[in-house]
Amino acid sequence: MFRQLLRRILAAFIVMFLVSLATFAALEVVPGNAAIVSLGTEGNVEQLAALEAQLGLDRPLGERLFDYYSGLIRFDWGTSSYYGQPVWTLISQRLAVTFPLALASVLLALLIAITLGTVAAVRKGGVVDIISRSLVQLASAMPSFWLSLLLLVLFSSVLRLVPMGGYVSPAEDFGAYLNSIVLPLSVLVVGETGPLLRLVRSSMLEAIGEDWYTAAQVKGLRKGRVIVSYALRSALTAPLTSAGTQLAKLLGGTAIVESVFALPGMGRLFLTAVEMRDLQLVQGIVIFVSFFVVLMNLVTDIVLRLVNPALEPDGGGL
Amino acid sequence: MRRRGNPSLFIGLILTLLVASLGIIGVLHSPYDPEAMNLMQRFNGPSLEHPFGTDHFGRDMLSRVMMASGTALSSALVSVTLGALAGIALGTLAALAPRWLSTLVMRLVDALMAFPTILLALMAAAIFGRGLLPSVLAVCISMVPSFSRLTQAMVMEGRERLSIKAARAYGAPAWRIVIFHMFPPVLTRLVTQFTSAIGGAVLLESSLSFLGLGVQPPSASLGMMLSEARAYLLTYPWQVLPSGITLLVLVLGLNLLGDGLGSLLTRRSADGL
């Protein structure tokens, strides 16, 4: 158990190292370095040289790579050229908007997926099964930006229930905060529920097919009890792992929703960074999100193994 | 065991063909020039002349949707094909290479998988710039990890089969074994993965162009048409319908087609064995 744990942690560190190296390399091959990009069209050769010296771009590759890693470890992720603020400060500010949204959407999606998925599996081919599967198909084909626009038309333009967009901090006015996130939250839930529901249904079907399920029924336990306290427990491993990853991925994956609803979150920050070619910020966000994904995978893996020691020693990829 | 027909395949095929034929007809002949503006005819509702109405520049929406569907489908096909080829090559390499190299490659694939797709595509857009070609490349890169994982797993699995062991015992070279002995039996799974990936690619490409990073004006793309319609959401909300419905129908069709093909092919191969 302990050795496995060490191996998993080591593997996670290797992935993080490769991600950061890949990010560094990717931005190294960008046509025009950070100095050229931030000067734009107004700048002469002297200014360029000065800025390059200031950013340290004129130094050899190895030295810059060393600086890059020592900065990463000290949480000194450089300064955004567009905002003029430290990258780490920007990320932590925007996280306060995106994280609650991402967490709430994954939890809601998980709740819906577990309920509907269990019923769909237990009554396979029944009404709930057919309807939920059709809805999953529809939801997975639904472009999130189109759904966002439709919801905006219906709920803010026609029914005038919520504002057209914008963000109110929960500390300021909690009711207004809820109003400002209810539509983006719904769009995210629609996107997240589909894959989770599929997973719950398929692993539930698998659990129901097991011998111990039949044994428990033969023993005379009530069906509801067998489903909830036996089958569901063993069937939840895959959906929970996936929910952990989805949560982490949402930290960078909400760009579209945040852009439609004008929420000042991580996704919008990343979008601005890409549009303004603020490479330092792009790098910082990519590294942050991917580190979070890797850590989240590690944590869910460890927790699930503690809960269910019978899990295979090397299951579940990353 | 015989099962009832395959509704996913049937419906998926019809929906996909519907949008595909729109796109193909659009290439050959469109009712109007999709880029021709007519400021006297702005925001016209659906009529016989303009079945889908006209947009904020008075351009015919049907012609624009036709042009955009063609672009969406062809760019998705190109990017998934390139991504699949790269992924298959990488996966095969990982499965056959010495242990240290294969670990390195698979960890890299893991690292790519650790990126949210939209983030990966946006980062590619940051590197390659805006436009159709960069967005095709961006979508292509995001397709690589899943294909290489699938291929690696399949080749590893295939290595243990008796026929492969026999071929190796005869001294057949590795490339020959991979191409002629390993791929044919797993082709069905690759085809299924390919079809399902195209729906995702269409969605991703349209997201990029919605964000202004894909196809640039005045060319039409489904995502960009929606982002243009967004500016008139309060005054002309129906502007989001033509391109949105087309996009939904196309992606739904492709996804159903992928699912249907998957169950058809796995059933066939299960029967065959």
Side-chain angles (χ1 to χ4, degrees), chain B residues 234-259:
Chain B
L234 286 178
T235 36
Y236 301 98
W238 59 268
Q239 290 261 314
V240 301
L241 292 180
S243 42
I245 292 174
T246 313
L247 190 56
L248 178 69
V249 169
L250 179 59
V251 178
L252 188 64
L254 287 167
N255 285 352
L256 285 172
L257 194 63
D259 286 2

Side-chain angles (χ1 to χ4, degrees), chain B residues 10 13 34 59 61 95 98-99 104 127 138 143 155 167 176 187 199 205 208 228 232 234 239-240 246 262 265-266:
Chain B
F10 185 65
L13 202 61
R59 296 175 292 196
M61 293 267 253
R99 208 190 148 117
L104 188 71
I127 294 171
M143 292 295 147
V155 174
R176 211 193 141 80
L187 208 58
E205 193 271 331
L208 281 178
E228 287 171 350
Y232 306 97
L234 286 178
Q239 290 261 314
V240 301
T246 313
L265 290 175
T266 47

Side-chain angles (χ1 to χ4, degrees), chain B residues 179-235:
Chain B
I179 292 177
F180 291 100
H181 298 278
M182 279 182 168
F183 273 116
V186 297
L187 208 58
T188 55
R189 273 200 272 171
L190 282 175
V191 168
T192 312
Q193 168 87 2
F194 186 84
T195 325
S196 327
I198 290 179
V202 169
L203 216 48
L204 193 58
E205 193 271 331
S206 66
S207 314
L208 281 178
S209 64
F210 179 77
L211 294 171
L213 297 164
V215 174
Q216 296 295 306
S219 303
S221 77
L222 295 170
M224 194 179 65
M225 289 177 74
L226 278 170
S227 101
E228 287 171 350
R230 184 183 157 194
Y232 306 97
L233 207 56
L234 286 178
T235 36

Side-chain angles (χ1 to χ4, degrees), chain A residues 18-19 26 31 137 140-143 145-146 149 153 157 249 252-253 256 259-260 270-271 275 277 286 289 293 318, chain B residues 107 110-111 113-116 118-119 122-123 126-127 130 206-207 210-211 226 230 233 240 244 247-248 251-252 259:
Chain A
L18 285 175
V19 169
Q137 278 290 1
S140 68
M142 181 68 96
F145 45 93
W146 192 51
L149 294 179
V153 168
S157 176
K249 286 195 170 186
I256 290 168
S259 132
V260 176
F270 189 70
L271 217 54
E275 275 166 2
R277 297 185 64 87
V286 166
V289 174
V293 175
L318 190 75
Chain B
R107 284 295 154 210
D110 283 349
M113 281 228 165
F115 278 59
I118 184 78
L119 209 67
L122 284 176
M123 190 174 161
I127 294 171
R130 295 158 187 236
S206 66
S207 314
F210 179 77
L211 294 171
L226 278 170
R230 184 183 157 194
L233 207 56
V240 301
L247 190 56
L248 178 69
V251 178
L252 188 64
D259 286 2

Side-chain angles (χ1 to χ4, degrees), chain A residues 298-317:
Chain A
L298 189 66
V299 171
T300 40
D301 200 51
I302 292 171
V303 169
L304 284 174
R305 241 164 246 207
L306 290 177
V307 174
N308 189 355
L311 280 183
E312 285 173 41
D314 219 340

Side-chain angles (χ1 to χ4, degrees), chain A residues 79-216:
Chain A
T79 307
S80 149
S81 61
Y82 177 68
Y83 289 97
Q85 277 177 301
V87 168
W88 185 247
T89 317
L90 286 168
I91 290 181
S92 48
Q93 278 170 4
R94 301 305 185 96
L95 206 57
V97 177
T98 303
F99 189 74
L101 198 61
L103 186 67
S105 71
V106 170
L107 287 180
L108 273 174
L110 205 56
L111 194 70
I112 299 171
I114 291 173
T115 322
L116 286 182
T118 309
V119 178
V122 174
R123 299 193 196 280
K124 193 179 167 216
V127 185
V128 176
D129 191 21
I130 290 170
I131 291 179
S132 70
R133 273 163 69 197
S134 318
L135 285 180
V136 165
Q137 278 290 1
L138 199 64
S140 68
M142 181 68 96
S144 61
F145 45 93
W146 192 51
L147 182 63
S148 308
L149 294 179
L150 291 181
L151 290 180
L152 270 178
V153 168
L154 182 62
F155 289 101
S156 37
S157 176
V158 177
L159 298 175
R160 299 190 180 280
L161 289 175
V162 289
M164 275 300 268
Y167 177 76
V168 184
S169 122
E172 228 170 88
D173 180 349
F174 195 70
Y177 168 72
L178 288 183
N179 264 338
S180 72
I181 64 157
V182 61
L183 289 188
L185 187 63
S186 333
V187 175
L188 290 178
V189 170
V190 168
E192 298 302 305
T193 307
L196 288 178
L197 207 155
R198 274 191 187 154
L199 266 178
V200 172
R201 180 176 178 273
S202 65
S203 38
M204 225 15 222
L205 278 176
E206 212 170 287
I208 287 174
E210 298 271 0
D211 287 343
W212 53 253
Y213 181 79
T214 321

Side-chain angles (χ1 to χ4, degrees), chain B:
Chain B
M1 188 179 80
R2 284 237 164 254
R3 271 181 36 193
R4 287 165 288 132
N6 196 333
S8 305
L9 187 68
F10 185 65
I11 301 172
L13 202 61
I14 288 182
L15 295 181
T16 311
L17 282 179
L18 196 72
V19 180
S21 51
L22 259 186
I24 293 168
I25 295 171
V27 173
L28 301 174
H29 170 80
S30 65
Y32 293 86
D33 177 356
E35 288 164 23
M37 300 184 207
N38 183 353
L39 295 181
M40 308 296 286
Q41 304 277 331
R42 300 172 71 209
F43 301 116
N44 278 1
S47 63
L48 273 180
E49 280 165 63
H50 301 285
F52 287 2
T54 58
D55 72 356
H56 58 294
F57 284 134
R59 296 175 292 196
D60 178 47
M61 293 267 253
L62 176 62
S63 307
R64 285 183 77 69
V65 164
M66 287 167 105
M67 180 184 179
S69 327
T71 317
L73 257 176
S74 51
S75 67
L77 272 174
V78 171
S79 46
V80 177
T81 308
L82 291 179
L85 286 178
I88 290 170
L90 208 62
T92 315
L93 177 77
L96 300 180
R99 208 190 148 117
W100 65 270
L101 184 59
S102 91
T103 314
L104 188 71
V105 171
M106 286 327 282
R107 284 295 154 210
L108 255 173
V109 169
D110 283 349
L112 270 178
M113 281 228 165
F115 278 59
T117 330
I118 184 78
L119 209 67
L120 196 64
L122 284 176
M123 190 174 161
I127 294 171
F128 302 123
R130 295 158 187 236
L132 181 60
L133 195 64
S135 73
V136 166
L137 268 178
V139 177
C140 163
I141 291 174
S142 62
M143 292 295 147
V144 172
S146 52
F147 276 99
S148 47
R149 253 214 196 147
L150 182 67
T151 312
Q152 191 250 4
M154 288 188 314
V155 174
M156 294 294 271
E157 220 172 273
R159 265 209 314 214
E160 301 306 315
R161 281 208 322 272
L162 199 58
S163 59
I164 303 293
K165 283 184 176 164
R168 214 187 296 151
Y170 271 108
W175 62 267
R176 211 193 141 80
I177 296 183
V178 169
I179 292 177
F180 291 100
H181 298 278
M182 279 182 168
F183 273 116
V186 297
L187 208 58
T188 55
R189 273 200 272 171
L190 282 175
V191 168
T192 312
Q193 168 87 2
F194 186 84
T195 325
S196 327
I198 290 179
V202 169
L203 216 48
L204 193 58
E205 193 271 331
S206 66
S207 314
L208 281 178
S209 64
F210 179 77
L211 294 171
L213 297 164
V215 174
Q216 296 295 306
S219 303
S221 77
L222 295 170
M224 194 179 65
M225 289 177 74
L226 278 170
S227 101
E228 287 171 350
R230 184 183 157 194
Y232 306 97
L233 207 56
L234 286 178
T235 36
Y236 301 98
W238 59 268
Q239 290 261 314
V240 301
L241 292 180
S243 42
I245 292 174
T246 313
L247 190 56
L248 178 69
V249 169
L250 179 59
V251 178
L252 188 64
L254 287 167
N255 285 352
L256 285 172
L257 194 63
D259 286 2
L261 214 57
S263 60
L264 181 79
L265 290 175
T266 47
R267 206 159 69 216
R268 278 271 167 78
S269 59
D271 287 347
L273 284 176

